[in-house]
Amino acid sequence: MSGIYIHIPFCKQACHYCDFHFSTSLKRKDQMIFALCEELKIRRSEVADYEIINTIYFGGGTPSILKSEEIRFIIDTIYETYLVADEAEITLEANPDDLTPEAISIWANSPINRLSIGIQSFFEEDLEMMNRAHSAEEALQCLQLAAAHFDNISIDLIYGIPGMTIDRWKQNLELALASKIPHISSYALTVEPKTALDAYIRKGKIPAPRDEVAQQHFELLIDTLETAGFINYEFSNFGKPGFFSKNNTAYWQGKPYLGIGPSAHSFNGIQRSWNIPNNIKYIDALAQKELPREIETLSTQDRYNEYIMTGLRTIWGVSLTKVLQEYGDSYHSYLLQHAQRFIDKQLLTIEDNTLLITKKGKFLSDGIASDLFFLNLT
């Protein structure tokens, strides 16, 4: 078992682009924390006695909205219930407005050893358009404060924002590099259905993001960060050597994990499961010691397609040996046949019997992967 993901389903306010499960009401926060701990205890049986937890990741939502003692209560429950590695990576997602000097000092003296900070942009106009709770000044200040207490820090940045020029994106990257943080996760702004951003675009209040702008930003992102010594180990993740996210790496390499909390997903190598995305129903079910989740058993075809999608996004690629051994000759032959046209266009390459995306093909990696899916096997 690689790790445990804890979904904290609370936020101060709703970002216009976000479609993750959360609530801006903290009325049942205490009950939620007890429900999370109850799920952790119930699901101990899914982990073998000898299996060690290597990562604990608090995501959301906004985990930093919780008090330090509330986070510590959950961590203590994990340590009391599971075998946890001595050097386990324990990450807390945090927003800049929550990272006061006092809060950072408290987190630094807790088991948490990695911060993932939702900067998104260092410019006020971008933050206001996205309805972020923090200011540009808080974004810069929190990084200075965090760096004094934590060595392992990641920040999130969003590109392709309507109105963001290439120069402003370049300045975002320069400010990030000036902070000397060792990990950056960067995502193109996407318009998810039923979000505020979707509504504003349909009403003409905000222009829609443009793919060609996002691609320009992505190409600058890669060139700038690789020049600065970062490794693009997964499409959206860049780390200095020794600072790849262990949680992210395990996910992209298909390792099993537990997802705890409303809407959280889990994977055991054969099955995926997901909890109900409803705080009240989740709390009420756990009060009855019931798991409010659905389970899907993955077919060979499902597992092959997921491996193609995740593998091509990473520097580890898709092992042709693994495809042959785990999925069979028909999948292996199918993959080689359908990959050839992308190899001819220098979007894919084969090195050491591994299928890899090229720099030219990176921005198109999801589309290329979907074209390699095996869709006709019964």
Side-chain angles (χ1 to χ4, degrees):
M1 182 62 59
S2 65
I4 296 176
Y5 170 82
I6 310 288
H7 187 82
I8 305 299
F10 301 114
C11 288
K12 288 180 182 176
Q13 62 189 50
C15 298
H16 287 161
Y17 57 86
C18 182
D19 70 339
F20 292 161
H21 171 68
F22 68 92
S23 170
T24 55
S25 171
L26 300 179
K27 190 164 63 172
R28 302 190 74 174
K29 184 182 66 169
D30 291 347
Q31 291 171 285
M32 177 61 69
I33 292 169
F34 281 107
L36 293 172
C37 291
E38 186 62 36
E39 185 183 359
L40 281 165
K41 294 172 184 175
I42 291 174
R43 298 187 65 186
R44 177 64 180 86
S45 60
E46 297 178 32
V47 181
D49 291 341
Y50 60 84
E51 288 186 285
I52 298 175
I53 302 301
N54 291 297
T55 66
I56 300 169
Y57 193 100
F58 287 88
T62 310
S64 58
I65 203 171
L66 297 186
K67 298 175 182 177
S68 59
E69 56 265 31
E70 293 168 335
I71 293 286
R72 186 58 187 257
F73 184 73
I74 298 170
I75 292 175
D76 287 347
T77 300
I78 295 173
Y79 272 82
E80 291 165 3
T81 310
Y82 298 83
L83 290 175
V84 180
D86 291 339
E87 301 298 323
E89 176 189 88
I90 305 179
T91 301
L92 178 78
E93 285 188 354
N95 279 350
D97 46 301
D98 294 325
L99 292 177
T100 63
E102 180 184 11
I104 290 174
S105 178
I106 291 172
W107 296 128
N109 288 288
S110 77
I112 294 163
N113 51 34
R114 184 174 184 271
L115 292 181
S116 178
I117 306 174
I119 299 291
Q120 314 310 356
S121 176
F122 292 101
F123 289 87
E124 209 68 53
E125 52 264 55
D126 299 330
L127 298 173
E128 289 177 0
M129 190 279 288
M130 293 185 284
N131 200 40
R132 296 290 294 170
H134 67 278
S135 66
E137 182 180 1
E138 287 174 321
L140 289 169
Q141 287 180 344
C142 79
L143 288 183
Q144 294 176 347
L145 292 168
H149 293 275
F150 286 87
D151 295 323
N152 200 350
I153 299 172
S154 177
I155 65 170
D156 286 355
L157 293 175
I158 294 179
Y159 59 88
I161 297 172
M164 177 185 278
T165 63
I166 195 75
D167 184 62
R168 193 157 85 216
W169 176 234
K170 182 179 180 181
Q171 291 180 63
N172 263 310
L173 296 175
E174 289 172 347
L175 287 167
L177 292 175
S179 70
K180 300 190 184 302
I181 49 91
H183 190 280
I184 295 173
S185 296
S186 192
Y187 309 91
L189 181 68
T190 55
V191 184
E192 302 294 347
K194 299 181 181 179
T195 60
L197 178 61
D198 180 40
Y200 290 146
I201 289 173
R202 284 189 284 104
K203 293 176 182 177
K205 294 183 177 180
I206 297 176
R210 294 164 53 203
D211 288 344
E212 59 270 28
V213 172
Q215 184 167 356
Q216 290 175 354
H217 289 180
F218 179 72
E219 290 170 355
L220 179 62
L221 171 71
I222 288 186
D223 289 342
T224 302
L225 295 189
E226 287 186 346
T227 299
F230 286 78
I231 299 170
N232 184 204
Y233 68 99
E234 187 274 330
F235 180 85
S236 300
N237 287 281
F238 300 77
K240 289 286 184 73
F243 286 95
F244 294 3
S245 166
K246 293 179 182 178
N247 175 81
N248 293 356
T249 298
Y251 172 78
W252 294 112
Q253 292 182 339
K255 296 181 180 179
Y257 61 91
L258 290 182
I260 305 296
S263 81
H265 285 232
S266 302
F267 177 60
N268 65 9
I270 299 174
Q271 295 175 318
R272 290 201 179 277
S273 63
W274 53 95
N275 290 341
I276 189 170
N278 182 296
N279 287 4
I280 294 175
K281 291 181 179 179
Y282 173 83
I283 290 170
D284 290 346
L286 267 300
Q288 302 298 319
K289 298 188 182 300
E290 298 174 355
L291 293 176
R293 62 174 175 169
E294 295 184 46
I295 299 175
E296 175 191 15
T297 299
L298 301 178
S299 66
T300 300
Q301 180 175 322
D302 293 332
R303 290 187 287 111
Y304 164 84
N305 289 344
E306 287 195 4
Y307 180 51
I308 297 299
M309 176 60 75
T310 56
L312 284 185
R313 290 179 63 100
T314 72
I315 59 172
W316 301 287
V318 172
S319 167
L320 297 176
T321 301
K322 176 176 177 176
V323 171
L324 182 61
Q325 292 177 345
E326 295 193 13
Y327 308 112
D329 183 65
S330 58
Y331 286 92
H332 182 263
S333 300
Y334 180 92
L335 176 58
L336 289 177
Q337 177 186 348
H338 286 76
Q340 189 59 52
R341 66 186 177 99
F342 297 109
I343 294 172
D344 293 341
K345 294 178 182 178
Q346 299 181 326
L347 301 174
L348 292 175
T349 186
I350 295 177
E351 298 176 13
D352 298 326
N353 210 35
T354 300
L355 188 65
L356 298 161
I357 204 85
T358 65
K359 187 174 182 179
K360 180 181 176 181
K362 275 189 177 181
F363 191 74
L364 306 171
S365 59
D366 284 353
I368 293 171
S370 65
D371 283 344
L372 300 180
F373 287 172
F374 204 140
L375 302 176
N376 303 318
L377 194 65
T378 56

